[in-house]
Amino acid sequence: MNWKKGSIEINIPSQQQETKNKSCKPSFSCKEWILSVWKFAKQDVNRVLFSLKMGFAVLVVSLLILCQAPYQVFGINIVWAILTVAIMFEYTVGATFSRGFNRAFGTIVAGILAIGIAQLALKTGRIVEPIVIGLSIFTVGAVTSFMKLLPSFVPYETGFRVILFTYCLIIVSGYRMGNPIRTAMDRLYSIAIGGIIAVAVNVFIFPIWAGEQLHKELVDNFNAVADALQECVKKYLEDDGSDLSEFSKTVIDEFPDEPAYRKCRSTLNSSAKLEFLGNSAKWEPPHGRFQHFFYPWLEYVKVGAVLRYCAYEVMALHGILHSEIQAPYNLRITFQEEIQEATSDATELIRYLGKDICNMRRSLKTSQLKRVHSSIERLQRAIIIHSYLLTSANEPLDNSSKPSHAISSTFPDLSIQLVGPDNKCIEQNYNLPSQPNYATAELQRGSYHEMVKKQSRSRLYSWPSREVDVIENEGGFSSDFIPRMQALQSTATLSLATFTSLLVEFVARLDHLVEAVENLSKMAKFKQEAL
């Protein structure tokens, strides 16, 4: 409904609408929760295996307490074995070994400190002894808490925690029981039993290797980046802007029609995961396809870092795809062949690199890289040859310019098909400014308005943002608004240049990616492919 200028429309929701909105609030559904848990477990069967193995390990160590014979041997200190299993048992074998090392190191250091301080406190007498023990607890707590914050000691944070609570428990219980050495030895035996059970269950019963997880994760990231690049370029070239949804709504829905983009976004967030898997894999013995010691797991992390830099360019391309200012569709298809060729060669090279890592194969990539460089050079030559299409042919307007000459040809000799009010196709040919036959100002404004509606979803042409329809209802396009439209028209053409330059930068980063994969294949001793 059209209101007069300056009027304000106030919508007051009725009581029925408020009741309906309240009823639309999401409620907890047990069935949906069960389905989500089932879907989560189905995505990775190892999650279920890990849970079952954890339960089995705790059951085995608990039998040492539940059964009378082992309980008489170990006594109540066997409870420490249960705590050790709960602390050490991790998702992968490498993480379990790493956590076990921290547990053993912390226990030994805490035991030595506790025995030494206890013997020193006994020689000071019964009055000074609790003071010495209290000061030692304060000192150990402060030092271990500070040390675990240092960047170089972050991987051993668990060890410092173990030192703190093991020392406190041994020194305090030894003070009350009167024999700290016996207390420390009993608990050391219990911790050793728990650690052996945790490692045995995790290694010999359906082991989950961190190295294999890292290998698979990196290969998936290669495929995700290739798919996202191909999907983004395809939508950019095939989309004429007529059926694009609102950007804010698309962002909230997380781009439901772009599954490859979501996978690529997860690749950008995989830095911590790859680093954790790489550090865990260092603790694993040779297994599966990784049969030699000192396997270069950290090289996988470096390759993943280089791949993320390539993924940043894909995200930038995706931002241009959904930007508010878009290049005209017929200008985009002018370079369609060159862009598609460069994209196809680049994605083929990325998939080839991922396949080499997956098969642990070392092959020459010179021909694929040369093909990518040749296709991107053809794209650059096409941009240089047709650079006049990316610049405005108009001179800046002065105050004496007539409105009829305000919107002239931005793209010389470039035919643009527009949709008129009666849904019929109107072909408007923008000629060079030197030609005398210009369309009337009203037709140009109307054509530009229709082009805006078709291509850019009622795009916003002022700041703060105001829709074209609103400007038209307030009195049409004024003479001072036309230069802004002309500037925006030039900016729209430059978005295509930005898109192609990002594609060129993506190909440039592929050189570093090929180099990183080559270093990995050498250090990991991949099998050389026969020529």
Side-chain angles (χ1 to χ4, degrees):
M1 183 174 181
N2 294 327
W3 299 85
K4 294 182 179 180
K5 183 178 181 181
S7 62
I8 300 175
E9 179 182 359
I10 300 176
N11 294 324
I12 302 177
S14 62
Q15 185 177 1
Q16 184 178 2
Q17 290 178 342
E18 291 180 354
T19 305
K20 183 178 180 181
N21 293 334
K22 291 181 180 180
S23 62
C24 292
K25 292 182 178 180
S27 58
F28 177 77
S29 174
C30 183
K31 182 179 179 181
E32 292 180 358
W33 181 79
I34 293 175
L35 291 176
S36 64
V37 172
W38 174 259
K39 183 179 180 181
F40 176 77
K42 196 175 180 180
Q43 288 176 352
D44 191 356
V45 183
N46 289 332
R47 296 167 180 167
V48 180
L49 292 176
F50 165 72
S51 304
L52 297 177
K53 286 161 55 178
M54 180 66 176
F56 179 73
V58 175
L59 173 62
V60 171
V61 76
S62 298
L63 291 177
L64 299 177
I65 300 177
L66 298 177
C67 297
Q68 188 66 24
Y71 180 75
Q72 291 178 353
V73 175
F74 299 104
I76 193 62
N77 287 323
I78 198 63
V79 175
W80 284 70
I82 300 178
L83 296 177
T84 302
V85 171
I87 293 174
M88 282 186 54
F89 207 94
E90 287 289 336
Y91 184 75
T92 62
V93 175
T96 301
F97 276 112
S98 175
R99 192 65 74 91
F101 170 80
N102 283 277
R103 175 64 167 161
F105 176 79
T107 301
I108 294 174
V109 172
I112 295 174
L113 286 176
I115 293 173
I117 297 297
Q119 294 298 322
L120 178 63
L122 285 174
K123 295 180 180 180
T124 59
R126 298 297 298 179
I127 297 176
V128 184
E129 182 181 2
I131 299 177
V132 174
I133 292 175
L135 290 175
S136 67
I137 291 175
F138 171 79
T139 303
V140 171
V143 171
T144 54
S145 299
F146 177 79
M147 293 294 288
K148 70 182 182 181
L149 297 178
L150 296 176
S152 57
F153 289 118
V154 168
Y156 309 104
E157 178 184 359
T158 305
F160 288 111
R161 291 182 183 273
V162 171
I163 291 174
L164 177 58
F165 75 75
T166 303
Y167 175 81
C168 294
L169 291 175
I170 291 177
I171 196 72
V172 171
S173 61
Y175 171 75
R176 285 302 179 187
M177 297 174 65
N179 193 352
I181 298 178
R182 176 63 183 274
T183 303
M185 296 305 296
D186 289 342
R187 294 185 178 179
L188 182 61
Y189 295 149
S190 301
I191 291 172
I193 292 173
I196 292 173
I197 292 176
V199 171
V201 171
N202 211 339
V203 172
F204 297 108
I205 301 178
F206 298 106
I208 303 173
W209 302 99
E212 292 182 357
Q213 295 283 323
L214 176 62
H215 189 85
K216 181 177 180 297
E217 184 73 19
L218 184 61
V219 173
D220 292 341
N221 288 348
F222 270 89
N223 295 329
V225 172
D227 293 341
L229 176 63
Q230 193 172 21
E231 178 186 74
C232 179
V233 174
K234 180 181 179 182
K235 287 180 66 66
Y236 186 78
L237 295 177
E238 294 181 355
D239 183 19
D240 60 355
S242 59
D243 56 350
L244 288 179
S245 59
E246 188 179 351
F247 178 71
S248 59
K249 182 179 179 182
T250 307
V251 171
I252 293 175
D253 296 338
E254 296 185 349
F255 304 97
D257 58 337
E258 300 178 34
Y261 161 76
R262 295 197 297 272
K263 291 182 181 180
C264 182
R265 187 177 58 183
S266 65
T267 300
L268 297 178
N269 301 328
S270 65
S271 174
K273 183 177 181 180
L274 292 179
E275 187 174 357
F276 175 76
L277 290 174
N279 291 328
S280 299
K282 291 189 301 183
W283 294 90
E284 294 178 347
H287 60 277
R289 296 186 294 173
F290 317 101
Q291 289 295 332
H292 58 273
F293 290 93
F294 305 107
Y295 198 83
W297 295 114
L298 293 183
E299 290 297 319
Y300 281 81
V301 181
K302 294 180 182 179
V303 173
V306 178
L307 182 62
R308 281 195 303 277
Y309 279 102
C310 297
Y312 291 145
E313 296 297 324
V314 178
M315 300 298 288
L317 291 171
H318 185 269
I320 295 179
L321 172 64
H322 292 280
S323 63
E324 290 291 325
I325 301 176
Q326 292 286 342
Y329 174 67
N330 50 2
L331 180 61
R332 277 179 276 169
I333 63 176
T334 303
F335 306 96
Q336 180 178 9
E337 183 179 352
E338 291 82 3
I339 293 177
Q340 284 181 341
E341 182 182 4
T343 303
S344 176
D345 293 340
T347 54
E348 182 181 355
L349 176 60
I350 295 175
R351 291 193 177 98
Y352 190 79
L353 293 174
K355 189 176 180 181
D356 278 357
I357 296 177
C358 179
N359 299 329
M360 301 183 69
R361 178 187 62 192
R362 183 181 175 188
S363 59
L364 294 176
K365 308 168 186 66
T366 307
S367 59
Q368 289 87 349
L369 197 57
K370 286 183 178 179
R371 190 183 308 119
V372 174
H373 288 166
S374 299
S375 60
I376 209 67
E377 287 175 1
R378 282 192 288 272
L379 174 60
Q380 289 177 306
R381 285 198 298 269
I383 292 294
I384 294 174
I385 293 174
H386 301 88
S387 59
Y388 64 92
L389 297 176
L390 304 178
T391 57
S392 176
N394 287 332
E395 297 294 330
L397 294 177
D398 53 13
N399 295 332
S400 61
S401 300
K402 295 182 180 180
S404 59
H405 293 203
I407 305 178
S408 61
S409 169
T410 302
F411 321 120
D413 296 330
L414 189 61
S415 296
I416 301 178
Q417 286 191 347
L418 305 172
V419 179
D422 55 351
N423 295 329
K424 293 182 178 179
C425 224
I426 302 175
E427 183 173 352
Q428 176 69 35
N429 188 19
Y430 292 98
N431 299 317
L432 291 172
S434 58
Q435 296 178 0
N437 295 329
Y438 294 97
T440 62
E442 298 298 329
L443 179 59
Q444 288 175 341
R445 295 169 190 165
S447 300
Y448 190 81
H449 183 198
E450 295 299 330
M451 182 179 67
V452 166
K453 276 189 173 182
K454 175 186 176 184
Q455 179 194 341
S456 57
R457 317 148 234 167
S458 294
R459 282 295 183 221
L460 311 176
Y461 285 100
S462 63
W463 188 263
S465 300
R466 302 170 68 196
E467 292 188 2
V468 175
D469 294 335
V470 176
I471 298 173
E472 190 180 55
N473 292 335
E474 292 182 358
F477 297 98
S478 58
S479 59
D480 61 339
F481 185 73
I482 292 176
R484 284 184 291 167
M485 291 171 54
Q486 185 179 1
L488 182 64
Q489 200 174 15
S490 299
T491 306
T493 61
L494 292 179
S495 67
L496 176 62
T498 305
F499 189 89
T500 54
S501 65
L502 288 174
L503 188 59
V504 173
E505 176 64 22
F506 178 85
V507 172
R509 296 188 180 191
L510 287 182
D511 294 340
H512 302 286
L513 184 61
V514 172
E515 182 180 357
V517 173
E518 184 66 21
N519 292 335
L520 171 62
S521 62
K522 289 180 181 179
M523 298 182 66
K525 299 179 181 178
F526 287 173
K527 184 179 179 181
Q528 181 72 40
E529 186 181 36
L531 298 177

